[in-house]
Amino acid sequence: MTVGAGRTGRPTLAVVGATGAVGTVMLQILSQHADIWGEIRLIASPRSAGRKLALRGEQVEVVALTEEAFDGVHVAMFDVPDEVAAQWAPVAAARGAVVVDNSGAFRMDPQVPLVVPEVNPHAARVRPRGIIANPNCTTLSMIVALGALHAEFGLRELVVSSYQAVSGAGRAGVETLRQQLSMVAGTELGTSPGDVRRAVGDNTGPFPEPVALNVVPWAGSLREDGWSSEEMKVRDESRKILGLPRLPVAVTCVRVPVVTTHSLTVHARFEGEVTVHKAREILATAPGVVLFDNPEAGEFPTPADVVGTDPTWVGRVRRALDDPTALELFVCGDNLRKGAALNTAQIAELVAADFG
Ligand SMILES: NC(=O)c1ccc[n+]([C@@H]2O[C@H](COP(=O)([O-])OP(=O)(O)OC[C@H]3O[C@@H](n4cnc5c(N)ncnc54)[C@H](OP(=O)(O)O)[C@@H]3O)[C@@H](O)[C@H]2O)c1
């Protein structure tokens, strides 16, 4: 580390992408968490320069992304599209900042640790490029619970289906769902093939199909053999975070008409026999996890209740009917909090603890 704490005695933080879906939640988190930072510099595209955003009870002006914007910055969080992070994170690192990047640009770089503080905090200390990556929101929505179960039982295989919120596709995703909902509300649509599509028109925003009154079995872009980029991310990133490079992982990512909070069904197979009793004990005590599992009383996590909260919520814990070594779980996590901004903030706080 080449720089010490700033004049205030506290490290200077930059939030790049402060105006976006993740950036907006980041500013809320920074206003709520223990205030460990000196200056917090808000950075976005030149389109947003001069805008004022609420932070720690004050209005802070946004500045445009330039090399000079990183002068004196100790930690720089990047909440911007992949190509912007790919170009600018190394610039910030070269100017002495430790970068915590939320994009997909560096996650699988072997020189860049991929960190979830509850699972592999030690990895944040080894960062040869000066960059630490934050996992994607779908992986993050389940990995804290899986990390706790893996530590006890030893994970051998994962089969996952996601039910992903539209805010996973940024502000544009949320705008698309809200617009489509206003077009279908109060109608009898959803009763004949193509009626929803005709009502919402050809512009389906970041999604390949209408998302209102629908589920869409697709997230991201096309990869080899019909897999989506989001599905590959869940596989590759889970392996890297858990330190299990050959873990068999099968994922199907599905978009649902939920604003924020991803849900996942997980079939997890372990080294030996597992019991629901022990699994519940682990989940009930794991940091960052809430076990909410009482189907008799109709109690299980749903996005409508989980949104805006920090933990990974787990319900429907069952042992697989045909395999005593496997568990079935239903997991919910706010994709903008733990799934993005919160995990980044936690990593930045880990790094900040090194600045005396
Ligand atoms: N949404 C999620 O659930 C989620 C979860 C985990 C990770 N991520 C990742 O986090 C990143 C941000 O996602 P988001 O959902 O917050 O996106 P978003 O709502 O579209 O916001 C994008 C942000 O990047 C800024 N930006 C865009 N182009 C720029 C440029 N050329 N120079 C400087 N700033 C620029 C925007 O500034 P302006 O307002 O000035 O355009 C805005 O602040 C992405 O890499 C995404 O993959 C998202």
Side-chain angles (χ1 to χ4, degrees):
M1 224 151 290
T2 54
V3 281
R7 255 182 301 166
T8 59
R10 296 176 179 190
T12 295
L13 174 70
V15 182
V16 189
T19 52
V22 176
T24 301
V25 175
M26 182 63 78
L27 301 196
Q28 291 164 10
I29 288 173
L30 290 169
S31 301
Q32 292 160 352
H33 276 204
D35 192 5
I36 60 162
W37 304 103
E39 183 193 350
I40 299 183
R41 205 168 296 165
L42 305 186
I43 302 175
S45 79
R47 294 180 289 275
S48 303
R51 264 185 73 186
K52 292 210 165 136
L53 301 175
L55 175 66
R56 299 188 289 188
E58 292 171 9
Q59 291 292 312
V60 179
E61 191 167 316
V62 175
V63 299
L65 180 56
T66 59
E67 288 195 22
E68 295 70 38
F70 296 106
D71 283 349
V73 169
H74 299 94
V75 180
M77 299 170 169
F78 275 69
D79 302 314
V80 293
D82 290 1
E83 63 281 8
V84 181
Q87 182 185 346
W88 286 91
V91 173
R95 289 181 97 89
V98 177
V99 171
V100 186
D101 179 37
N102 227 320
S103 83
F106 301 98
R107 289 180 189 139
M108 295 316 295
D109 183 329
Q111 303 276 78
V112 173
L114 185 62
V115 175
V116 181
E118 294 88 343
V119 182
N120 62 343
H122 49 277
R125 289 187 168 268
V126 187
R127 41 181 195 249
R129 295 191 65 182
I131 300 172
I132 301 170
N134 194 67
N136 86 94
C137 48
T138 314
T139 307
L140 265 175
S141 298
M142 66 172 188
I143 203 75
V144 178
L146 286 178
L149 292 169
H150 169 56
E152 177 73 23
F153 294 139
L155 194 59
R156 281 292 168 267
E157 185 179 8
L158 275 180
V159 182
V160 176
S161 290
S162 74
Y163 306 76
Q164 293 183 220
V166 295
S167 61
R171 281 174 308 191
V174 178
E175 280 158 23
T176 299
L177 175 62
R178 292 206 191 284
Q179 203 173 30
Q180 292 182 357
L181 286 177
S182 72
M183 290 166 162
V184 300
T187 69
E188 300 288 315
L189 289 164
T191 51
S192 62
D195 62 355
V196 172
R197 191 195 320 272
R198 283 191 294 279
V200 304
D202 289 337
N203 184 2
T204 52
F207 312 117
E209 299 288 338
V211 70
L213 302 182
N214 210 5
V215 296
V216 182
W218 192 257
S221 51
L222 184 61
R223 293 289 185 266
E224 258 177 64
D225 297 328
W227 293 95
S228 75
S229 56
E230 189 84 351
E231 290 159 352
M232 298 310 289
K233 284 180 193 176
V234 174
R235 177 181 192 245
D236 295 342
E237 295 180 23
S238 298
R239 288 173 158 190
K240 183 168 176 178
I241 297 160
L242 296 171
L244 297 171
R246 281 178 296 282
L247 183 73
V249 183
V251 191
T252 302
C253 287
V254 180
R255 192 76 66 180
V256 295
V258 165
V259 175
T260 296
T261 294
H262 289 350
S263 307
L264 302 101
T265 56
V266 179
H267 170 91
R269 187 169 60 78
F270 299 94
E271 273 165 23
E273 284 203 12
V274 291
T275 65
V276 167
H277 179 77
K278 185 67 186 167
R280 291 174 61 97
E281 203 176 276
I282 294 163
L283 294 167
T285 52
V289 177
V290 173
L291 178 67
F292 188 58
D293 186 24
N294 186 5
E296 273 175 31
E299 288 178 351
F300 25 71
T302 67
D305 290 326
V306 165
V307 61
T309 67
D310 287 348
T312 301
W313 294 68
V314 185
R316 306 294 326 278
V317 181
R318 290 148 291 154
R319 192 161 83 165
L321 288 173
D322 303 309
D323 182 352
T325 69
L327 291 169
E328 315 291 345
L329 315 167
F330 185 74
V331 184
C332 286
D334 185 319
N335 52 297
L336 297 176
R337 288 188 77 90
K338 184 60 182 174
L342 174 63
N343 199 68
T344 305
Q346 288 173 317
I347 296 172
E349 287 163 5
L350 273 183
V351 173
D354 290 343
F355 293 103

